Amino acid sequence: MYTVLVSGLLFGLASGAAVKRGGGYGYHKSLNVQVGVRPYYLVDDMDEGRLKHALQRCSEGPFKPSDFVIAHRGAPLQFPEHTLESYTAARRQGAGIIECDVAFTKDKKLVCRHDQCDLHTTTDILKHPELAAKCTTPFTPASGTSPATVQCCTSDITQAEFKSLCGKMDGFNPNGTTVEEYMDGTPYFRTDLYSTCGTVQTHDEYIDLVNGWGLKFTPELKTPKVEMPFDGYTQEQYAQDMINAYKKRGISPKRVFPQSFLPDDIFYWIDKEPAFGKQAVYLDERVDTPEGYENATASIPALARRGVKILAPAFFALTKVDANGKIVPSEYAIAAKKARMDIIGWSFERSGWLSIDGGGYYYDYVKEVINNDGDMYTVLDVLAQQVKIKGMFSDWPATLTYYANCFGL
């Protein structure tokens, strides 16, 4: 019996090691995509009707990865963003494309962070005194009516120092009088359950991980928060370095969707790296104000002539409510399609409860006709079937995977 037990234990350890060498836990070539309970909760919460019944008929799957499903920072609804654990969860949930927001460090290396200066809210840097002392703005606790202040940037530290950090759920408590209090600010609709010590990722690590899974990439060149050039490092070199990482590995440009909020980055890739530039995604934040929305809509034909092929605004800008109280494509969406441009929306599952203020920012143009979480699928259906978006970013990819598989996207 002892021999059998030992043999079994050694076999189990060997099997576990083999899986680990594949990039972490559960990395098998044939992945059984899991959507969990959330899509079912949302479908059950929907108003009765054609769409709800159609989604109910898909309840037992099977589910497979879809390029319609773009993992926004991984799966940050419950996992620390841009960490190995967050990316792993996104892959398990069926994301066909995974995002790395790209920022640079003090030694001009590329890492995955949503903002160049968010380390104080997304990592445990404040628990490392030697690194916290290097922050652009060291921590000052809240006092009286004055909130706590701090700013820690990737450009404050080296890549090696960055790799010593733990990722945490993005959030902070402005009234914190200690580091511990300040870091304890996870939004009500997320969780710290899986936020023990997220494994932060360099851009190279992200590429190797996603490439090993056979999925697609969407790296976003984050707008620098420091003056450029940074110690001689120009914006153009920054944009080129990001592309070079894929070229170095021989990755097909067809698998890469580089993004930026800066039009000049998009134009640089179109002109200097056309194989990658033709899939460059212009993240259009001009739509945030009524005047900006009108100007953005009017500029779409010119952007198309310049070579931009994919537009990506916040998805609220893609729909509106018509005179009959129906959710329909917006003027922006119609103009983009008229210009034969693809559209990607961002970001699903980032709003909390839709029953509170109609979902806030991401549902701003349709909030008058939505009142429950299940209405997320009502909006998504208009985006997919009428606006005909190419894909959607999501903080919880499983929600999109359920819909995408149900409708063959």
Side-chain angles (χ1 to χ4, degrees):
M1 176 64 73
Y2 174 80
T3 302
V4 172
L5 287 173
V6 171
S7 298
L9 177 60
L10 291 174
F11 176 78
L13 290 172
S15 299
V19 171
K20 187 68 175 179
R21 284 196 297 272
Y25 58 86
Y27 299 138
H28 302 280
K29 288 294 184 181
S30 180
L31 185 77
N32 183 2
V33 170
Q34 301 288 321
V35 297
V37 299
R38 180 157 176 77
Y40 301 94
Y41 166 80
L42 295 175
V43 172
D44 288 345
D45 194 47
M46 294 177 68
D47 297 333
E48 291 298 326
R50 173 200 60 82
L51 179 59
K52 179 174 183 174
H53 298 157
L55 289 168
Q56 286 174 328
R57 286 195 291 272
C58 303
S59 65
E60 304 314 304
F63 301 104
K64 61 182 180 181
S66 169
D67 288 351
F68 182 83
V69 183
I70 307 172
H72 182 240
R73 317 184 201 179
L77 185 65
Q78 295 194 37
F79 291 85
E81 63 188 45
H82 292 311
T83 62
L84 171 63
E85 294 77 15
S86 193
Y87 292 150
T88 299
R91 187 230 182 179
R92 175 62 68 181
Q93 292 176 30
I97 305 174
I98 295 179
E99 180 191 45
C100 166
D101 289 319
V102 179
F104 59 83
T105 59
K106 185 176 182 178
D107 50 348
K108 306 179 186 70
K109 304 294 185 181
L110 304 184
V111 297
C112 297
R113 281 296 94 192
H114 173 252
D115 190 292
Q116 185 179 27
C117 295
D118 72 2
L119 296 183
H120 50 288
T121 67
T122 64
T123 75
D124 67 345
I125 190 171
L126 297 180
K127 289 187 175 182
H128 298 259
E130 72 285 1
L131 297 182
K134 299 181 179 183
C135 290
T136 298
T137 304
F139 177 71
T140 299
S143 177
T145 59
S146 299
T149 58
V150 61
Q151 185 179 66
C152 302
C153 306
T154 58
S155 51
D156 292 333
I157 59 176
T158 67
Q159 186 183 81
E161 290 170 332
F162 171 82
K163 282 297 293 178
S164 72
L165 303 176
C166 289
K168 77 174 191 70
M169 295 299 286
D170 186 14
F172 67 99
N173 173 12
N175 299 314
T177 59
T178 66
V179 163
E180 290 73 18
E181 288 180 356
Y182 179 84
M183 292 176 62
D184 186 16
T186 300
Y188 72 90
F189 58 90
R190 298 183 186 144
T191 178
D192 287 315
L193 183 62
Y194 305 112
S195 187
T196 51
C197 181
T199 310
V200 297
Q201 298 287 282
T202 68
H203 181 229
D204 284 346
E205 288 174 329
Y206 151 83
I207 295 175
D208 292 340
L209 188 70
V210 175
N211 191 41
W213 293 339
L215 301 178
K216 296 180 181 178
F217 314 82
T218 184
E220 179 188 335
L221 197 74
K222 298 306 298 186
T223 302
K225 291 296 181 67
V226 296
E227 186 177 350
M228 299 294 280
F230 172 77
D231 189 26
Y233 194 50
T234 66
Q235 183 72 22
E236 292 77 13
Q237 188 60 58
Y238 178 31
Q240 188 63 54
D241 283 351
M242 190 180 85
I243 299 300
N244 285 346
Y246 298 89
K247 295 173 68 175
K248 179 180 179 181
R249 289 164 172 78
I251 292 172
S252 169
K254 294 180 179 180
R255 296 175 60 198
V256 184
F257 296 84
Q259 319 166 59
S260 179
F261 280 100
L262 298 180
D264 285 348
D265 291 339
I266 304 298
F267 301 152
Y268 176 87
W269 293 322
I270 290 171
D271 295 340
K272 302 297 184 180
E273 292 288 351
F276 290 89
K278 65 183 178 182
Q279 291 200 147
V281 180
Y282 175 31
L283 300 166
D284 193 353
E285 63 183 345
R286 300 172 298 167
V287 298
D288 279 1
T289 65
E291 181 181 359
Y293 176 89
E294 291 183 9
N295 291 337
T297 302
S299 74
I300 287 174
L303 287 171
R305 289 192 296 271
R306 184 61 178 83
V308 179
K309 298 183 182 301
I310 306 175
L311 289 175
F315 71 81
F316 78 82
L318 298 173
T319 58
K320 67 177 185 178
V321 178
D322 69 9
N324 298 314
K326 299 292 185 181
I327 301 174
V328 296
S330 69
E331 293 84 0
Y332 183 102
I334 293 169
K337 283 303 178 184
K338 185 177 180 180
R340 298 186 177 181
M341 300 174 80
D342 286 327
I343 304 172
I344 292 173
W346 50 268
S347 295
F348 223 54
E349 291 284 27
R350 197 157 184 84
S351 300
W353 301 333
L354 269 62
S355 58
I356 298 178
D357 193 29
Y361 174 78
Y362 289 101
Y363 296 86
D364 193 37
Y365 287 4
V366 299
K367 61 184 177 183
E368 64 190 84
V369 297
I370 61 176
N371 55 32
N372 57 56
D373 284 357
D375 283 333
M376 291 173 59
Y377 276 136
T378 303
V379 175
L380 181 62
D381 191 59
V382 174
L383 291 168
Q385 306 302 331
Q386 296 184 48
V387 176
K388 296 190 180 300
I389 59 174
K390 183 183 183 70
M392 175 70 85
F393 286 91
S394 180
D395 282 19
W396 198 244
T399 304
L400 294 179
T401 299
Y402 186 100
Y403 180 93
N405 277 262
C406 195
F407 289 97
L409 299 176

